[in-house]
Amino acid sequence: MFAVNAKAPFLIAQRALELIPDGGRVINISSGLTHVANPSQTVYSVTKGGIEQLTLDCARHLASRGINVNTVIPDVTDNGHAIFKIPEVREQMSQLSAFKRLGEPDEVADAIVFLATDEARSITGAALDASGGSLLG
């Protein structure tokens, strides 16, 4: 999990520094689990917390080149995993959202697209909460 969720994004960011043009965008994906306690997901949460810290550090480092670096925090999203085919699990996960439904991949994509636009040019080092209100408590 560390290799995929923490180390790989760090190495990709390191390599991409030479390839991203001035004024470019870097958009990472985190998790709402970095903002709540869930002992059964500790390792996953730690790896995604690392992404949020990487976002902050890269935002500071790349600001001089006009590169915006942000993170999107998606809702529990039906990503096609087999677990989402179990009705009881779907219902339980749906209850985490203020909207009482699972997020859809296109909703996460919309948040990512927004951060890639010129309208988001002054946003950097931010974590855009696209969690469907699941972090409201």
Side-chain angles (χ1 to χ4, degrees), residues 2 6 8 10 12 22 29 36 45 55 78 95 102 105 120 125 130-131 136:
F2 271 92
F10 173 78
I12 291 167
D22 291 354
I29 307 298
V36 297
S45 299
T55 296
D78 185 348
Q95 296 309 306
L102 293 174
S131 73
L136 294 173

Side-chain angles (χ1 to χ4, degrees), residues 28-52:
N28 295 310
I29 307 298
S30 185
S31 169
L33 288 173
T34 62
H35 300 271
V36 297
N38 186 336
S40 68
Q41 296 290 322
T42 299
V43 174
Y44 178 78
S45 299
V46 167
T47 65
K48 290 300 191 171
I51 291 297
E52 292 187 25

Side-chain angles (χ1 to χ4, degrees), residues 10-20:
F10 173 78
L11 295 173
I12 291 167
Q14 214 174 27
R15 173 72 174 114
L17 290 179
E18 344 172 324
L19 305 173
I20 299 171

